[in-house]
Amino acid sequence: MRKAFIAGNWKMNTNLHSAVVLAKEIAEGCADVVHEGGLTVAVCPPALYLSAVSAALSSSPVALGAQNMHFETTGAFTGEISSAMLKDVGCTYVILGHSERRHVFGESGTMINKKVHAAISAGLLPILCVGELAGQREAGETEAVIERQLHEGLSQVGVEKMAAVTIAYEPCWAIGTGETATPQQAQEVHAFIRKTLEGLYDRSLAQEARIQYGGSANPGNAAELLEQPDVDGLLVGGASLKGADFVAIVDAAG
Ligand code: PEP
């Protein structure tokens, strides 16, 4: 039985004070819904505020995640942050291959795959994002794009390591646009992702894999999306910046 997983991606938003306030609001609001063995909730603040948010969440079941990391463990990589550093400040999760990393910062499938390996080796749990651009959907290429991104991102990631991985389906045209995939569109691609995982691994792994949807999820559409049989959770951007909205989304999954 797959457990729901709701994660908030704060992107390059908040400041030190508002990040801590938001973390506390979410921790308090989720206290009754998130319990051991139940659903998973995580917040992914900007890297600079991870330590402060980690402290704010210290007695809460809400987990901490990062939005990105470098694949090398240490050395001359100016401006980068390693998996060990993320562990050091209390991260459990790390978002990898977000569409903004792929399309704004030019991250390749190979680079993302190296990050997936580095994260798992360090004991972090990667959330691997995949998703098609609007033009690719219009051209009927959605499945081919998703399949390629899964093959690249999970290259040489063995069955035993896959328990660490969450997949997030994030259609690029729905991210930050207010245009959400319909529950049917999300379900279709999630079922395709599960089928692809079955081909790459096996049926039982595919059935156990957690697949989040991301793209303008909000308190008004969360329940409908989460009702879909292959949607196991949500990766939430904009709506995760308002404590009450994020808690309402968590409630919808609880
Ligand atoms: C995201 O960036 O992961 C995301 C899903 O953003 P939004 O919810 O704002 O579309």
Side-chain angles (χ1 to χ4, degrees):
M1 180 67 179
R2 301 186 298 265
K3 290 174 198 149
F5 179 16
I6 308 294
N9 174 12
W10 297 0
K11 310 195 187 190
M12 199 172 72
N13 293 298
T14 70
N15 58 33
L16 180 56
H17 176 72
S18 65
V20 168
V21 170
L22 180 58
K24 286 186 177 162
E25 202 180 335
I26 289 170
E28 214 169 287
C30 293
D32 294 338
V33 198
V34 188
H35 42 77
E36 203 142 323
L39 86 164
T40 309
V41 177
V43 293
C44 305
L48 206 54
Y49 305 142
L50 283 168
S51 289
V53 170
S54 179
L57 296 175
S58 63
S59 52
S60 151
V62 174
L64 187 67
Q67 300 172 15
N68 184 30
M69 55 166 254
H70 190 50
F71 50 81
E72 294 290 353
T73 49
T74 185
F77 301 101
T78 303
E80 293 293 340
I81 294 171
S82 73
S83 53
M85 292 171 185
L86 296 183
K87 288 286 289 180
D88 215 12
V89 295
C91 286
T92 302
Y93 295 93
V94 59
I95 299 171
L96 296 176
H98 188 278
S99 74
E100 285 145 24
R101 300 300 320 169
R102 291 179 192 264
H103 300 296
V104 182
F105 298 101
E107 288 193 11
S108 66
T110 308
M111 193 186 280
I112 293 161
N113 176 246
K114 285 185 186 175
K115 293 184 180 198
V116 170
H117 281 281
I120 297 172
S121 298
L124 288 165
L125 306 177
I127 299 172
L128 173 64
C129 302
V130 295
E132 80 286 3
L133 296 162
Q136 292 170 325
R137 174 164 281 265
E138 280 153 25
E141 295 167 3
T142 300
E143 292 192 351
V145 170
I146 302 293
E147 191 172 18
R148 176 176 47 76
Q149 291 177 342
L150 287 171
H151 278 254
E152 286 171 349
L154 297 174
S155 175
Q156 305 299 319
V157 177
V159 177
E160 71 292 349
K161 290 186 174 170
M162 275 300 289
V165 179
T166 297
I167 306 292
Y169 168 54
E170 298 214 307
C172 301
W173 47 271
I175 296 181
T177 59
E179 190 189 344
T180 318
T182 64
Q184 292 69 29
Q185 284 172 323
Q187 168 56 28
E188 267 171 32
V189 180
H190 281 233
F192 176 75
I193 291 172
R194 222 175 277 292
K195 198 176 109 197
T196 305
L197 292 176
E198 187 173 333
L200 280 171
Y201 299 96
D202 58 43
R203 187 168 160 71
S204 96
L205 185 145
Q207 286 306 311
E208 279 164 32
R210 280 203 293 198
I211 309 172
Q212 296 176 314
Y213 166 80
S216 300
N218 61 49
N221 59 29
E224 237 191 341
L225 287 160
L226 290 163
E227 267 168 23
Q228 302 307 307
D230 288 298
V231 176
D232 307 317
L234 299 168
L235 180 53
V236 186
S240 71
L241 292 168
K242 291 185 195 131
D245 283 4
F246 188 68
V247 170
I249 292 170
V250 170
D251 280 341

